Amino acid sequence: MPETIAGTPLVKLTGVGKHYGNIIALRDVSLEVSAGEVTCVLGDNGAGKSTLIKVVAGLHRHDEGTYEVSGEQVSFGSPREALDRGIATVYQDLAVVPLMPVWRNFFLGSEKRRGLGRMDIAFMRQTTKSELLAMGIDLRDVDQPIGTLSGGERQCVAIARAVYFGAKALILDEPTAALGVKQAGVVLRYIVQAREKGLGVIFITHNPHHAYPVGDRFLLLKRGQSIGDHVKEDVSREELTALMAGGAELEQLAHELQTATSGSDVGAAAARELTAGAKQLGIT
């Protein structure tokens, strides 16, 4: 695996496009993530986040633009090629086997073996426990089925696994989407720990309130195109939220509600709520 030259981004996409027949999934999208940095990719459903993940992870080839890893142009033909270059992806569904122990899931597909092909169970158990401890996860028993862990803990096991197997860049696909407030906070803490270990993290999310506390850079997507690329010093949480909320759309919807329900107290109240929300976000 080539060494990264100081100052060179681990992952850099420039003007990347992807289309499926006549459908344009991505157009002129640029993204950059360096070691020890979290780049957040934000957008609603249909914004192009999933397609971007597939390109970076090596699942799909890009059709336009350039994709560089540590300064070298690449065009991956499979996720294995991306993984061999240190790019690991943790998908939202995690691809774990719920009834298998935590340690089996940690080494799933990469089992440690000794003599005559037998699995080195003691090594895998001890390594799993120590690696999770290094990430701040203290499990009483790594023999417990991973399905008994909380959603946040399962996400953290997947992150620790990627770190152990040599990931340099880590793509996290909506890791907090299905979690409650407390468990989402747990995952965000481990994202920060991954950054502190020197990994470059690409954090895919639709929630600016999760992105802003941990992010260093923010790429906003809408219908396959970039609508903003900001460093943290140049954008506030409120501005990021306003960009995500779509100020013009909220204002137009409030106007339409007011017009369509001019004789309805309920409709008028809903329009006032939308207008107040837009003002609170600094949209109007």
Side-chain angles (χ1 to χ4, degrees):
M1 186 184 302
E3 290 297 321
T4 303
I5 300 173
T8 303
L10 289 174
V11 171
K12 182 177 181 181
L13 276 63
T14 306
V16 161
K18 178 65 185 176
H19 53 79
Y20 303 97
N22 294 326
I23 300 173
I24 299 174
L26 289 178
R27 175 185 291 168
D28 194 26
V29 173
S30 298
L31 174 145
E32 186 175 307
V33 60
S34 298
E37 182 177 86
V38 177
T39 294
C40 300
V41 179
L42 299 107
D44 284 328
N45 293 336
K49 302 190 303 296
S50 294
T51 303
L52 185 64
I53 289 174
K54 290 171 183 176
V55 169
V56 179
L59 191 61
H60 291 173
R61 294 182 190 270
H62 56 289
D63 298 316
E64 300 158 1
T66 59
Y67 178 7
E68 299 174 38
V69 175
S70 301
E72 180 183 343
Q73 282 199 31
V74 298
S75 181
F76 295 133
S78 70
R80 172 54 62 181
E81 291 181 19
L83 190 58
D84 289 342
R85 293 296 299 270
I87 299 172
T89 305
V90 177
Y91 292 100
Q92 189 174 349
D93 60 11
L94 295 180
V96 297
V97 183
L99 295 179
M100 278 189 177
V102 174
W103 67 266
R104 282 298 308 270
N105 277 276
F106 192 92
F107 281 90
L108 194 62
S110 301
E111 289 80 1
K112 178 73 172 178
R113 298 185 182 276
R114 63 176 181 180
L116 300 178
R118 291 178 301 174
M119 291 197 301
D120 192 342
I121 295 175
F123 172 86
M124 290 189 284
R125 281 176 173 157
Q126 180 56 42
T127 300
T128 299
K129 188 167 183 62
S130 61
E131 289 298 316
L132 292 179
L133 272 175
M135 292 291 290
I137 310 170
D138 186 9
L139 291 182
R140 292 185 300 274
D141 184 9
V142 293
D143 280 307
Q144 68 188 95
I146 198 168
T148 63
L149 303 183
S150 68
E153 287 172 329
R154 289 196 297 272
Q155 285 282 350
C156 297
V157 169
I159 293 172
R161 182 185 190 277
V163 172
Y164 174 74
F165 283 103
K168 288 188 174 182
L170 184 61
I171 308 167
L172 301 176
D173 174 24
E174 297 273 10
T176 61
L179 303 180
V181 174
K182 184 176 180 180
Q183 289 300 319
V186 169
V187 174
L188 294 177
R189 186 166 73 246
Y190 295 127
I191 291 175
V192 171
Q193 289 191 10
R195 177 179 64 189
E196 290 175 349
K197 288 178 177 290
L199 274 72
V201 180
I202 300 174
F203 176 22
I204 312 293
T205 182
H206 64 271
N207 192 329
H209 297 287
H210 290 171
Y212 196 81
V214 301
D216 299 296
R217 302 174 64 96
F218 306 95
L219 170 65
L220 289 93
L221 295 179
K222 183 177 181 180
R223 296 177 184 174
Q225 293 182 278
S226 170
I227 59 171
D229 188 359
H230 308 276
V231 295
K232 193 165 193 171
E233 293 75 14
D234 295 339
V235 65
S236 67
R237 187 197 306 261
E238 291 72 24
E239 290 169 335
L240 191 65
T241 305
L243 289 167
M244 278 288 297
E249 289 87 345
L250 278 181
E251 192 173 359
Q252 182 179 357
L253 179 57
H255 176 72
E256 290 175 358
L257 275 173
Q258 188 72 53
T259 302
T261 59
S262 55
S264 166
D265 291 340
V266 174
R272 287 196 298 271
E273 287 290 337
L274 278 172
T275 303
K279 287 181 178 178
Q280 187 175 7
L281 293 174
I283 295 171
T284 60

